PDB file of all heavy atoms in Angstrom:
ATOM      1  N   ASN A   1       0.913  -1.156   0.033  1.00 97.00           N
ATOM      2  CA  ASN A   1       0.070   0.070  -0.035  1.00 97.00           C
ATOM      3  C   ASN A   1       0.884   1.272  -0.038  1.00 97.00           C
ATOM      4  O   ASN A   1       2.134   1.038  -0.159  1.00 97.00           O
ATOM      5  CB  ASN A   1      -0.975  -0.025   1.118  1.00 97.00           C
ATOM      6  CG  ASN A   1      -0.306  -0.183   2.472  1.00 97.00           C
ATOM      7  OD1 ASN A   1       0.653   0.566   2.809  1.00 97.00           O
ATOM      8  ND2 ASN A   1      -0.766  -1.108   3.394  1.00 97.00           N
ATOM      9  N   LEU A   2       0.312   2.392   0.143  1.00 97.00           N
ATOM     10  CA  LEU A   2       1.182   3.628   0.079  1.00 97.00           C
ATOM     11  C   LEU A   2       2.092   3.764   1.155  1.00 97.00           C
ATOM     12  O   LEU A   2       3.036   4.572   1.191  1.00 97.00           O
ATOM     13  CB  LEU A   2       0.265   4.899  -0.140  1.00 97.00           C
ATOM     14  CG  LEU A   2      -0.708   5.242   0.866  1.00 97.00           C
ATOM     15  CD1 LEU A   2      -0.131   5.980   2.049  1.00 97.00           C
ATOM     16  CD2 LEU A   2      -1.731   6.202   0.235  1.00 97.00           C
ATOM     17  N   TRP A   3       1.848   3.042   2.258  1.00 98.00           N
ATOM     18  CA  TRP A   3       2.642   3.227   3.491  1.00 98.00           C
ATOM     19  C   TRP A   3       3.911   2.175   3.408  1.00 98.00           C
ATOM     20  O   TRP A   3       4.996   2.528   3.848  1.00 98.00           O
ATOM     21  CB  TRP A   3       1.904   2.885   4.752  1.00 98.00           C
ATOM     22  CG  TRP A   3       2.480   3.013   6.110  1.00 98.00           C
ATOM     23  CD1 TRP A   3       2.877   2.040   6.892  1.00 98.00           C
ATOM     24  CD2 TRP A   3       2.980   4.220   6.656  1.00 98.00           C
ATOM     25  NE1 TRP A   3       3.443   2.598   8.054  1.00 98.00           N
ATOM     26  CE2 TRP A   3       3.465   3.871   7.920  1.00 98.00           C
ATOM     27  CE3 TRP A   3       2.854   5.563   6.277  1.00 98.00           C
ATOM     28  CZ2 TRP A   3       3.974   4.937   8.807  1.00 98.00           C
ATOM     29  CZ3 TRP A   3       3.291   6.539   7.028  1.00 98.00           C
ATOM     30  CH2 TRP A   3       3.849   6.245   8.393  1.00 98.00           C
ATOM     31  N   HIS A   4       3.659   0.923   2.931  1.00 98.00           N
ATOM     32  CA  HIS A   4       4.719   0.006   2.971  1.00 98.00           C
ATOM     33  C   HIS A   4       4.526  -1.158   1.936  1.00 98.00           C
ATOM     34  O   HIS A   4       3.642  -1.193   1.254  1.00 98.00           O
ATOM     35  CB  HIS A   4       4.830  -0.644   4.443  1.00 98.00           C
ATOM     36  CG  HIS A   4       3.888  -1.822   4.625  1.00 98.00           C
ATOM     37  ND1 HIS A   4       4.174  -2.805   5.420  1.00 98.00           N
ATOM     38  CD2 HIS A   4       2.751  -2.306   3.914  1.00 98.00           C
ATOM     39  CE1 HIS A   4       3.322  -3.834   5.403  1.00 98.00           C
ATOM     40  NE2 HIS A   4       2.463  -3.508   4.468  1.00 98.00           N
ATOM     41  N   LEU A   5       5.608  -2.046   1.893  1.00 98.00           N
ATOM     42  CA  LEU A   5       5.464  -3.279   1.082  1.00 98.00           C
ATOM     43  C   LEU A   5       6.159  -4.358   1.996  1.00 98.00           C
ATOM     44  O   LEU A   5       7.241  -4.165   2.481  1.00 98.00           O
ATOM     45  CB  LEU A   5       6.269  -3.138  -0.204  1.00 98.00           C
ATOM     46  CG  LEU A   5       6.404  -4.425  -1.045  1.00 98.00           C
ATOM     47  CD1 LEU A   5       5.038  -4.985  -1.409  1.00 98.00           C
ATOM     48  CD2 LEU A   5       7.334  -4.119  -2.184  1.00 98.00           C
ATOM     49  N   SER A   6       5.401  -5.380   2.230  1.00 97.00           N
ATOM     50  CA  SER A   6       5.921  -6.635   2.963  1.00 97.00           C
ATOM     51  C   SER A   6       6.232  -7.656   2.047  1.00 97.00           C
ATOM     52  O   SER A   6       5.636  -7.928   1.003  1.00 97.00           O
ATOM     53  CB  SER A   6       4.880  -7.003   4.008  1.00 97.00           C
ATOM     54  OG  SER A   6       3.681  -7.560   3.425  1.00 97.00           O
ATOM     55  N   HIS A   7       7.230  -8.471   2.445  1.00 96.00           N
ATOM     56  CA  HIS A   7       7.713  -9.734   1.696  1.00 96.00           C
ATOM     57  C   HIS A   7       7.785 -10.868   2.745  1.00 96.00           C
ATOM     58  O   HIS A   7       8.423 -10.773   3.752  1.00 96.00           O
ATOM     59  CB  HIS A   7       9.076  -9.501   1.098  1.00 96.00           C
ATOM     60  CG  HIS A   7       9.246  -8.294   0.318  1.00 96.00           C
ATOM     61  ND1 HIS A   7       9.109  -8.243  -1.054  1.00 96.00           N
ATOM     62  CD2 HIS A   7       9.489  -7.020   0.639  1.00 96.00           C
ATOM     63  CE1 HIS A   7       9.373  -7.033  -1.500  1.00 96.00           C
ATOM     64  NE2 HIS A   7       9.585  -6.284  -0.478  1.00 96.00           N
ATOM     65  N   GLU A   8       7.008 -11.989   2.410  1.00 94.00           N
ATOM     66  CA  GLU A   8       7.133 -13.142   3.188  1.00 94.00           C
ATOM     67  C   GLU A   8       7.228 -14.392   2.384  1.00 94.00           C
ATOM     68  O   GLU A   8       6.843 -14.380   1.241  1.00 94.00           O
ATOM     69  CB  GLU A   8       5.844 -13.310   4.102  1.00 94.00           C
ATOM     70  CG  GLU A   8       5.840 -12.142   5.168  1.00 94.00           C
ATOM     71  CD  GLU A   8       4.544 -12.265   6.021  1.00 94.00           C
ATOM     72  OE1 GLU A   8       3.371 -12.424   5.396  1.00 94.00           O
ATOM     73  OE2 GLU A   8       4.661 -12.239   7.251  1.00 94.00           O
ATOM     74  N   GLY A   9       7.617 -15.525   2.891  1.00 92.00           N
ATOM     75  CA  GLY A   9       7.693 -16.791   2.255  1.00 92.00           C
ATOM     76  C   GLY A   9       9.017 -17.030   1.517  1.00 92.00           C
ATOM     77  O   GLY A   9      10.015 -16.360   1.608  1.00 92.00           O
ATOM     78  N   LEU A  10       9.021 -18.212   0.868  1.00 91.00           N
ATOM     79  CA  LEU A  10      10.169 -18.742   0.064  1.00 91.00           C
ATOM     80  C   LEU A  10      11.404 -18.691   0.993  1.00 91.00           C
ATOM     81  O   LEU A  10      11.376 -19.279   2.081  1.00 91.00           O
ATOM     82  CB  LEU A  10      10.399 -17.931  -1.202  1.00 91.00           C
ATOM     83  CG  LEU A  10       9.277 -17.952  -2.237  1.00 91.00           C
ATOM     84  CD1 LEU A  10       9.552 -17.069  -3.488  1.00 91.00           C
ATOM     85  CD2 LEU A  10       8.942 -19.365  -2.645  1.00 91.00           C
ATOM     86  N   ASP A  11      12.576 -18.174   0.537  1.00 95.00           N
ATOM     87  CA  ASP A  11      13.803 -18.252   1.305  1.00 95.00           C
ATOM     88  C   ASP A  11      13.745 -17.525   2.588  1.00 95.00           C
ATOM     89  O   ASP A  11      14.530 -17.800   3.522  1.00 95.00           O
ATOM     90  CB  ASP A  11      14.906 -17.692   0.413  1.00 95.00           C
ATOM     91  CG  ASP A  11      14.713 -16.355  -0.090  1.00 95.00           C
ATOM     92  OD1 ASP A  11      13.731 -16.125  -0.874  1.00 95.00           O
ATOM     93  OD2 ASP A  11      15.578 -15.400   0.214  1.00 95.00           O
ATOM     94  N   LEU A  12      12.793 -16.479   2.642  1.00 96.00           N
ATOM     95  CA  LEU A  12      12.634 -15.675   3.930  1.00 96.00           C
ATOM     96  C   LEU A  12      12.039 -16.552   5.052  1.00 96.00           C
ATOM     97  O   LEU A  12      12.111 -16.025   6.184  1.00 96.00           O
ATOM     98  CB  LEU A  12      11.782 -14.461   3.688  1.00 96.00           C
ATOM     99  CG  LEU A  12      12.270 -13.482   2.651  1.00 96.00           C
ATOM    100  CD1 LEU A  12      11.272 -12.390   2.466  1.00 96.00           C
ATOM    101  CD2 LEU A  12      13.622 -12.905   3.159  1.00 96.00           C
ATOM    102  N   GLU A  13      11.534 -17.721   4.766  1.00 95.00           N
ATOM    103  CA  GLU A  13      10.882 -18.498   5.968  1.00 95.00           C
ATOM    104  C   GLU A  13      12.007 -19.067   6.775  1.00 95.00           C
ATOM    105  O   GLU A  13      11.706 -19.477   7.943  1.00 95.00           O
ATOM    106  CB  GLU A  13      10.032 -19.614   5.316  1.00 95.00           C
ATOM    107  CG  GLU A  13       8.831 -19.023   4.672  1.00 95.00           C
ATOM    108  CD  GLU A  13       7.855 -20.246   4.315  1.00 95.00           C
ATOM    109  OE1 GLU A  13       8.309 -21.385   4.170  1.00 95.00           O
ATOM    110  OE2 GLU A  13       6.720 -19.917   3.890  1.00 95.00           O
ATOM    111  N   ASP A  14      13.313 -19.081   6.381  1.00 97.00           N
ATOM    112  CA  ASP A  14      14.404 -19.455   7.183  1.00 97.00           C
ATOM    113  C   ASP A  14      15.075 -18.186   7.676  1.00 97.00           C
ATOM    114  O   ASP A  14      15.696 -17.461   7.012  1.00 97.00           O
ATOM    115  CB  ASP A  14      15.354 -20.313   6.361  1.00 97.00           C
ATOM    116  CG  ASP A  14      16.512 -20.895   7.237  1.00 97.00           C
ATOM    117  OD1 ASP A  14      16.692 -20.428   8.405  1.00 97.00           O
ATOM    118  OD2 ASP A  14      17.196 -21.748   6.730  1.00 97.00           O
ATOM    119  N   PRO A  15      14.976 -17.860   9.060  1.00 97.00           N
ATOM    120  CA  PRO A  15      15.550 -16.654   9.538  1.00 97.00           C
ATOM    121  C   PRO A  15      17.191 -16.702   9.365  1.00 97.00           C
ATOM    122  O   PRO A  15      17.690 -15.563   9.495  1.00 97.00           O
ATOM    123  CB  PRO A  15      15.279 -16.720  11.061  1.00 97.00           C
ATOM    124  CG  PRO A  15      14.054 -17.652  11.189  1.00 97.00           C
ATOM    125  CD  PRO A  15      14.314 -18.669  10.060  1.00 97.00           C
ATOM    126  N   ALA A  16      17.702 -17.831   8.981  1.00 98.00           N
ATOM    127  CA  ALA A  16      19.182 -17.763   8.777  1.00 98.00           C
ATOM    128  C   ALA A  16      19.588 -17.168   7.498  1.00 98.00           C
ATOM    129  O   ALA A  16      20.705 -16.804   7.300  1.00 98.00           O
ATOM    130  CB  ALA A  16      19.697 -19.341   8.888  1.00 98.00           C
ATOM    131  N   ASN A  17      18.635 -17.010   6.527  1.00 98.00           N
ATOM    132  CA  ASN A  17      18.957 -16.517   5.264  1.00 98.00           C
ATOM    133  C   ASN A  17      18.924 -14.962   5.189  1.00 98.00           C
ATOM    134  O   ASN A  17      17.907 -14.363   5.575  1.00 98.00           O
ATOM    135  CB  ASN A  17      17.873 -17.020   4.213  1.00 98.00           C
ATOM    136  CG  ASN A  17      18.048 -18.526   3.955  1.00 98.00           C
ATOM    137  OD1 ASN A  17      19.086 -19.047   4.089  1.00 98.00           O
ATOM    138  ND2 ASN A  17      17.027 -19.139   3.595  1.00 98.00           N
ATOM    139  N   GLU A  18      19.902 -14.389   4.663  1.00 98.00           N
ATOM    140  CA  GLU A  18      19.896 -12.906   4.420  1.00 98.00           C
ATOM    141  C   GLU A  18      18.929 -12.630   3.336  1.00 98.00           C
ATOM    142  O   GLU A  18      19.000 -13.276   2.303  1.00 98.00           O
ATOM    143  CB  GLU A  18      21.332 -12.367   4.107  1.00 98.00           C
ATOM    144  CG  GLU A  18      21.342 -10.869   3.862  1.00 98.00           C
ATOM    145  CD  GLU A  18      22.730 -10.459   3.583  1.00 98.00           C
ATOM    146  OE1 GLU A  18      23.720 -11.256   3.456  1.00 98.00           O
ATOM    147  OE2 GLU A  18      22.980  -9.270   3.402  1.00 98.00           O
ATOM    148  N   PRO A  19      18.124 -11.550   3.462  1.00 97.00           N
ATOM    149  CA  PRO A  19      17.227 -11.180   2.359  1.00 97.00           C
ATOM    150  C   PRO A  19      17.977 -10.757   1.099  1.00 97.00           C
ATOM    151  O   PRO A  19      19.014 -10.155   1.174  1.00 97.00           O
ATOM    152  CB  PRO A  19      16.489 -10.092   2.956  1.00 97.00           C
ATOM    153  CG  PRO A  19      16.512 -10.186   4.484  1.00 97.00           C
ATOM    154  CD  PRO A  19      17.818 -10.754   4.674  1.00 97.00           C
ATOM    155  N   LYS A  20      17.507 -11.209   0.033  1.00 96.00           N
ATOM    156  CA  LYS A  20      18.107 -10.810  -1.303  1.00 96.00           C
ATOM    157  C   LYS A  20      17.594  -9.382  -1.691  1.00 96.00           C
ATOM    158  O   LYS A  20      16.740  -9.289  -2.608  1.00 96.00           O
ATOM    159  CB  LYS A  20      17.766 -11.815  -2.319  1.00 96.00           C
ATOM    160  CG  LYS A  20      18.270 -13.211  -1.928  1.00 96.00           C
ATOM    161  CD  LYS A  20      17.737 -14.263  -3.010  1.00 96.00           C
ATOM    162  CE  LYS A  20      18.116 -15.710  -2.548  1.00 96.00           C
ATOM    163  NZ  LYS A  20      17.612 -16.741  -3.538  1.00 96.00           N
ATOM    164  N   TYR A  21      18.007  -8.450  -1.004  1.00 96.00           N
ATOM    165  CA  TYR A  21      17.471  -7.105  -1.122  1.00 96.00           C
ATOM    166  C   TYR A  21      17.512  -6.534  -2.536  1.00 96.00           C
ATOM    167  O   TYR A  21      16.431  -6.002  -3.020  1.00 96.00           O
ATOM    168  CB  TYR A  21      18.240  -6.047  -0.158  1.00 96.00           C
ATOM    169  CG  TYR A  21      17.906  -6.237   1.304  1.00 96.00           C
ATOM    170  CD1 TYR A  21      18.897  -6.576   2.167  1.00 96.00           C
ATOM    171  CD2 TYR A  21      16.581  -6.048   1.702  1.00 96.00           C
ATOM    172  CE1 TYR A  21      18.544  -6.708   3.523  1.00 96.00           C
ATOM    173  CE2 TYR A  21      16.314  -6.170   3.096  1.00 96.00           C
ATOM    174  CZ  TYR A  21      17.287  -6.481   3.962  1.00 96.00           C
ATOM    175  OH  TYR A  21      16.944  -6.745   5.266  1.00 96.00           O
ATOM    176  N   ASP A  22      18.567  -6.775  -3.333  1.00 94.00           N
ATOM    177  CA  ASP A  22      18.669  -6.290  -4.562  1.00 94.00           C
ATOM    178  C   ASP A  22      17.648  -6.974  -5.551  1.00 94.00           C
ATOM    179  O   ASP A  22      17.430  -6.453  -6.650  1.00 94.00           O
ATOM    180  CB  ASP A  22      20.074  -6.510  -5.126  1.00 94.00           C
ATOM    181  CG  ASP A  22      21.071  -5.581  -4.478  1.00 94.00           C
ATOM    182  OD1 ASP A  22      20.649  -4.480  -3.845  1.00 94.00           O
ATOM    183  OD2 ASP A  22      22.281  -5.863  -4.346  1.00 94.00           O
ATOM    184  N   GLU A  23      17.181  -8.098  -5.195  1.00 94.00           N
ATOM    185  CA  GLU A  23      16.226  -8.778  -5.987  1.00 94.00           C
ATOM    186  C   GLU A  23      14.733  -8.512  -5.567  1.00 94.00           C
ATOM    187  O   GLU A  23      13.859  -8.425  -6.462  1.00 94.00           O
ATOM    188  CB  GLU A  23      16.390 -10.258  -5.850  1.00 94.00           C
ATOM    189  CG  GLU A  23      17.700 -10.692  -6.510  1.00 94.00           C
ATOM    190  CD  GLU A  23      17.864 -12.369  -6.344  1.00 94.00           C
ATOM    191  OE1 GLU A  23      16.786 -12.972  -6.101  1.00 94.00           O
ATOM    192  OE2 GLU A  23      19.004 -12.776  -6.443  1.00 94.00           O
ATOM    193  N   ILE A  24      14.429  -8.229  -4.316  1.00 95.00           N
ATOM    194  CA  ILE A  24      13.071  -7.996  -3.925  1.00 95.00           C
ATOM    195  C   ILE A  24      12.631  -6.590  -3.649  1.00 95.00           C
ATOM    196  O   ILE A  24      11.399  -6.325  -3.709  1.00 95.00           O
ATOM    197  CB  ILE A  24      12.870  -8.902  -2.555  1.00 95.00           C
ATOM    198  CG1 ILE A  24      13.607  -8.281  -1.380  1.00 95.00           C
ATOM    199  CG2 ILE A  24      13.227 -10.296  -2.794  1.00 95.00           C
ATOM    200  CD1 ILE A  24      13.259  -8.879  -0.010  1.00 95.00           C
ATOM    201  N   LEU A  25      13.567  -5.649  -3.431  1.00 97.00           N
ATOM    202  CA  LEU A  25      13.089  -4.318  -3.136  1.00 97.00           C
ATOM    203  C   LEU A  25      12.392  -3.612  -4.211  1.00 97.00           C
ATOM    204  O   LEU A  25      12.747  -3.790  -5.474  1.00 97.00           O
ATOM    205  CB  LEU A  25      14.264  -3.467  -2.650  1.00 97.00           C
ATOM    206  CG  LEU A  25      15.007  -3.919  -1.369  1.00 97.00           C
ATOM    207  CD1 LEU A  25      16.073  -2.848  -1.106  1.00 97.00           C
ATOM    208  CD2 LEU A  25      13.969  -3.980  -0.163  1.00 97.00           C
ATOM    209  N   GLU A  26      11.322  -2.949  -3.957  1.00 96.00           N
ATOM    210  CA  GLU A  26      10.382  -2.268  -4.998  1.00 96.00           C
ATOM    211  C   GLU A  26      10.294  -0.697  -4.595  1.00 96.00           C
ATOM    212  O   GLU A  26      10.139  -0.070  -5.590  1.00 96.00           O
ATOM    213  CB  GLU A  26       9.092  -2.908  -5.105  1.00 96.00           C
ATOM    214  CG  GLU A  26       9.099  -4.392  -5.592  1.00 96.00           C
ATOM    215  CD  GLU A  26       7.774  -5.024  -5.643  1.00 96.00           C
ATOM    216  OE1 GLU A  26       6.722  -4.177  -5.932  1.00 96.00           O
ATOM    217  OE2 GLU A  26       7.616  -6.232  -5.616  1.00 96.00           O
ATOM    218  N   MET A  27      10.292  -0.487  -3.401  1.00 98.00           N
ATOM    219  CA  MET A  27      10.155   0.909  -2.949  1.00 98.00           C
ATOM    220  C   MET A  27      11.350   1.754  -2.899  1.00 98.00           C
ATOM    221  O   MET A  27      11.289   3.026  -2.724  1.00 98.00           O
ATOM    222  CB  MET A  27       9.318   1.046  -1.711  1.00 98.00           C
ATOM    223  CG  MET A  27       7.964   0.429  -1.761  1.00 98.00           C
ATOM    224  SD  MET A  27       6.988   0.586  -0.149  1.00 98.00           S
ATOM    225  CE  MET A  27       6.543   2.306  -0.249  1.00 98.00           C
ATOM    226  N   GLY A  28      12.478   1.157  -2.997  1.00 98.00           N
ATOM    227  CA  GLY A  28      13.784   1.769  -2.818  1.00 98.00           C
ATOM    228  C   GLY A  28      14.971   0.930  -3.156  1.00 98.00           C
ATOM    229  O   GLY A  28      14.822  -0.178  -3.677  1.00 98.00           O
ATOM    230  N   VAL A  29      16.069   1.327  -2.592  1.00 98.00           N
ATOM    231  CA  VAL A  29      17.330   0.498  -2.845  1.00 98.00           C
ATOM    232  C   VAL A  29      17.929   0.167  -1.405  1.00 98.00           C
ATOM    233  O   VAL A  29      17.526   0.671  -0.353  1.00 98.00           O
ATOM    234  CB  VAL A  29      18.456   1.308  -3.691  1.00 98.00           C
ATOM    235  CG1 VAL A  29      17.763   1.669  -4.916  1.00 98.00           C
ATOM    236  CG2 VAL A  29      18.765   2.649  -2.824  1.00 98.00           C
ATOM    237  N   SER A  30      18.880  -0.745  -1.433  1.00 98.00           N
ATOM    238  CA  SER A  30      19.514  -1.172  -0.143  1.00 98.00           C
ATOM    239  C   SER A  30      20.458   0.143   0.119  1.00 98.00           C
ATOM    240  O   SER A  30      20.884   0.903  -0.705  1.00 98.00           O
ATOM    241  CB  SER A  30      20.350  -2.348  -0.395  1.00 98.00           C
ATOM    242  OG  SER A  30      21.344  -2.164  -1.350  1.00 98.00           O
ATOM    243  N   PRO A  31      20.786   0.195   1.426  1.00 98.00           N
ATOM    244  CA  PRO A  31      21.799   1.250   1.891  1.00 98.00           C
ATOM    245  C   PRO A  31      23.079   1.293   1.031  1.00 98.00           C
ATOM    246  O   PRO A  31      23.586   2.340   0.725  1.00 98.00           O
ATOM    247  CB  PRO A  31      22.040   1.013   3.318  1.00 98.00           C
ATOM    248  CG  PRO A  31      20.823   0.286   3.785  1.00 98.00           C
ATOM    249  CD  PRO A  31      20.363  -0.554   2.620  1.00 98.00           C
ATOM    250  N   GLU A  32      23.520   0.110   0.601  1.00 97.00           N
ATOM    251  CA  GLU A  32      24.763   0.018  -0.099  1.00 97.00           C
ATOM    252  C   GLU A  32      24.711   0.650  -1.584  1.00 97.00           C
ATOM    253  O   GLU A  32      25.654   1.204  -2.039  1.00 97.00           O
ATOM    254  CB  GLU A  32      25.234  -1.535  -0.355  1.00 97.00           C
ATOM    255  CG  GLU A  32      25.594  -2.216   0.950  1.00 97.00           C
ATOM    256  CD  GLU A  32      24.404  -2.819   1.619  1.00 97.00           C
ATOM    257  OE1 GLU A  32      23.178  -2.452   1.302  1.00 97.00           O
ATOM    258  OE2 GLU A  32      24.661  -3.749   2.413  1.00 97.00           O
ATOM    259  N   LYS A  33      23.415   0.580  -2.118  1.00 98.00           N
ATOM    260  CA  LYS A  33      23.116   1.222  -3.413  1.00 98.00           C
ATOM    261  C   LYS A  33      22.732   2.599  -3.315  1.00 98.00           C
ATOM    262  O   LYS A  33      22.561   3.238  -4.393  1.00 98.00           O
ATOM    263  CB  LYS A  33      22.100   0.294  -4.121  1.00 98.00           C
ATOM    264  CG  LYS A  33      22.548  -1.090  -4.391  1.00 98.00           C
ATOM    265  CD  LYS A  33      23.587  -1.112  -5.400  1.00 98.00           C
ATOM    266  CE  LYS A  33      23.978  -2.625  -5.757  1.00 98.00           C
ATOM    267  NZ  LYS A  33      22.945  -3.356  -6.403  1.00 98.00           N
ATOM    268  N   ALA A  34      22.608   3.139  -2.157  1.00 98.00           N
ATOM    269  CA  ALA A  34      22.060   4.630  -1.961  1.00 98.00           C
ATOM    270  C   ALA A  34      23.191   5.597  -2.385  1.00 98.00           C
ATOM    271  O   ALA A  34      24.424   5.184  -2.374  1.00 98.00           O
ATOM    272  CB  ALA A  34      21.720   4.870  -0.570  1.00 98.00           C
ATOM    273  N   PRO A  35      22.791   6.792  -2.724  1.00 98.00           N
ATOM    274  CA  PRO A  35      23.826   7.812  -3.137  1.00 98.00           C
ATOM    275  C   PRO A  35      24.895   8.057  -2.027  1.00 98.00           C
ATOM    276  O   PRO A  35      24.703   7.910  -0.864  1.00 98.00           O
ATOM    277  CB  PRO A  35      23.065   9.019  -3.486  1.00 98.00           C
ATOM    278  CG  PRO A  35      21.626   8.497  -3.601  1.00 98.00           C
ATOM    279  CD  PRO A  35      21.481   7.295  -2.848  1.00 98.00           C
ATOM    280  N   ASP A  36      26.082   8.414  -2.405  1.00 98.00           N
ATOM    281  CA  ASP A  36      27.183   8.821  -1.608  1.00 98.00           C
ATOM    282  C   ASP A  36      26.973  10.214  -0.846  1.00 98.00           C
ATOM    283  O   ASP A  36      27.745  10.552   0.072  1.00 98.00           O
ATOM    284  CB  ASP A  36      28.556   8.812  -2.230  1.00 98.00           C
ATOM    285  CG  ASP A  36      28.855   7.389  -2.684  1.00 98.00           C
ATOM    286  OD1 ASP A  36      28.402   6.404  -2.029  1.00 98.00           O
ATOM    287  OD2 ASP A  36      29.592   7.153  -3.735  1.00 98.00           O
ATOM    288  N   ALA A  37      26.057  11.016  -1.439  1.00 98.00           N
ATOM    289  CA  ALA A  37      25.751  12.346  -0.863  1.00 98.00           C
ATOM    290  C   ALA A  37      24.417  12.300  -0.109  1.00 98.00           C
ATOM    291  O   ALA A  37      23.480  11.575  -0.472  1.00 98.00           O
ATOM    292  CB  ALA A  37      25.677  13.386  -1.915  1.00 98.00           C
ATOM    293  N   PRO A  38      24.423  12.928   1.025  1.00 98.00           N
ATOM    294  CA  PRO A  38      23.171  12.990   1.856  1.00 98.00           C
ATOM    295  C   PRO A  38      21.988  13.817   1.227  1.00 98.00           C
ATOM    296  O   PRO A  38      22.215  14.695   0.303  1.00 98.00           O
ATOM    297  CB  PRO A  38      23.517  13.615   3.157  1.00 98.00           C
ATOM    298  CG  PRO A  38      24.631  14.557   2.763  1.00 98.00           C
ATOM    299  CD  PRO A  38      25.389  13.881   1.609  1.00 98.00           C
ATOM    300  N   THR A  39      20.763  13.521   1.602  1.00 98.00           N
ATOM    301  CA  THR A  39      19.551  14.280   1.236  1.00 98.00           C
ATOM    302  C   THR A  39      18.985  14.868   2.505  1.00 98.00           C
ATOM    303  O   THR A  39      18.731  14.191   3.380  1.00 98.00           O
ATOM    304  CB  THR A  39      18.553  13.405   0.495  1.00 98.00           C
ATOM    305  OG1 THR A  39      19.116  12.817  -0.736  1.00 98.00           O
ATOM    306  CG2 THR A  39      17.286  14.240   0.132  1.00 98.00           C
ATOM    307  N   TYR A  40      18.622  16.173   2.451  1.00 98.00           N
ATOM    308  CA  TYR A  40      18.085  16.879   3.561  1.00 98.00           C
ATOM    309  C   TYR A  40      16.602  17.004   3.308  1.00 98.00           C
ATOM    310  O   TYR A  40      16.173  17.306   2.168  1.00 98.00           O
ATOM    311  CB  TYR A  40      18.667  18.236   3.822  1.00 98.00           C
ATOM    312  CG  TYR A  40      20.118  18.164   4.384  1.00 98.00           C
ATOM    313  CD1 TYR A  40      21.216  18.084   3.712  1.00 98.00           C
ATOM    314  CD2 TYR A  40      20.213  18.278   5.835  1.00 98.00           C
ATOM    315  CE1 TYR A  40      22.494  18.039   4.233  1.00 98.00           C
ATOM    316  CE2 TYR A  40      21.422  18.220   6.350  1.00 98.00           C
ATOM    317  CZ  TYR A  40      22.544  18.090   5.692  1.00 98.00           C
ATOM    318  OH  TYR A  40      23.872  18.040   6.230  1.00 98.00           O
ATOM    319  N   VAL A  41      15.825  16.801   4.380  1.00 98.00           N
ATOM    320  CA  VAL A  41      14.365  17.044   4.297  1.00 98.00           C
ATOM    321  C   VAL A  41      13.836  17.807   5.553  1.00 98.00           C
ATOM    322  O   VAL A  41      14.481  17.676   6.612  1.00 98.00           O
ATOM    323  CB  VAL A  41      13.540  15.606   4.182  1.00 98.00           C
ATOM    324  CG1 VAL A  41      13.889  14.913   2.867  1.00 98.00           C
ATOM    325  CG2 VAL A  41      13.726  14.799   5.439  1.00 98.00           C
ATOM    326  N   THR A  42      12.861  18.643   5.353  1.00 98.00           N
ATOM    327  CA  THR A  42      12.280  19.331   6.420  1.00 98.00           C
ATOM    328  C   THR A  42      10.803  19.119   6.465  1.00 98.00           C
ATOM    329  O   THR A  42      10.076  19.292   5.431  1.00 98.00           O
ATOM    330  CB  THR A  42      12.502  20.887   6.384  1.00 98.00           C
ATOM    331  OG1 THR A  42      13.934  21.172   6.302  1.00 98.00           O
ATOM    332  CG2 THR A  42      11.923  21.678   7.507  1.00 98.00           C
ATOM    333  N   LEU A  43      10.327  18.653   7.574  1.00 99.00           N
ATOM    334  CA  LEU A  43       8.923  18.297   7.746  1.00 99.00           C
ATOM    335  C   LEU A  43       8.295  19.308   8.781  1.00 99.00           C
ATOM    336  O   LEU A  43       8.813  19.527   9.807  1.00 99.00           O
ATOM    337  CB  LEU A  43       8.707  16.871   8.312  1.00 99.00           C
ATOM    338  CG  LEU A  43       8.853  15.818   7.223  1.00 99.00           C
ATOM    339  CD1 LEU A  43       9.217  14.388   7.945  1.00 99.00           C
ATOM    340  CD2 LEU A  43       7.556  15.661   6.435  1.00 99.00           C
ATOM    341  N   SER A  44       7.076  19.766   8.391  1.00 99.00           N
ATOM    342  CA  SER A  44       6.354  20.608   9.219  1.00 99.00           C
ATOM    343  C   SER A  44       5.173  19.987   9.799  1.00 99.00           C
ATOM    344  O   SER A  44       4.396  19.167   9.142  1.00 99.00           O
ATOM    345  CB  SER A  44       5.822  21.849   8.373  1.00 99.00           C
ATOM    346  OG  SER A  44       7.009  22.574   7.821  1.00 99.00           O
TER     347      SER A  44
END
């Protein structure tokens, strides 16, 4: 929905498995793939 995206099942059913972030992410990127420069935001 507009708030989030959840992923369950398959390889994620085993807590020992690291999530395949680069394969499953849809709303953004992993921290490693994020820009090297910061983004500033101001919320009112």
Side-chain angles (χ1 to χ4, degrees):
N1 57 48
L2 61 77
W3 185 250
H4 90 155
L5 172 61
S6 65
H7 308 263
E8 295 178 312
L10 297 180
D11 55 301
L12 296 178
E13 291 186 346
D14 184 350
N17 291 332
E18 180 181 4
K20 301 172 184 176
Y21 287 117
D22 292 336
E23 295 180 18
I24 67 174
L25 295 183
E26 297 179 25
M27 296 182 73
V29 299
S30 64
E32 294 89 342
K33 296 291 181 67
D36 293 331
T39 299
Y40 284 88
V41 297
T42 300
L43 280 159
S44 304

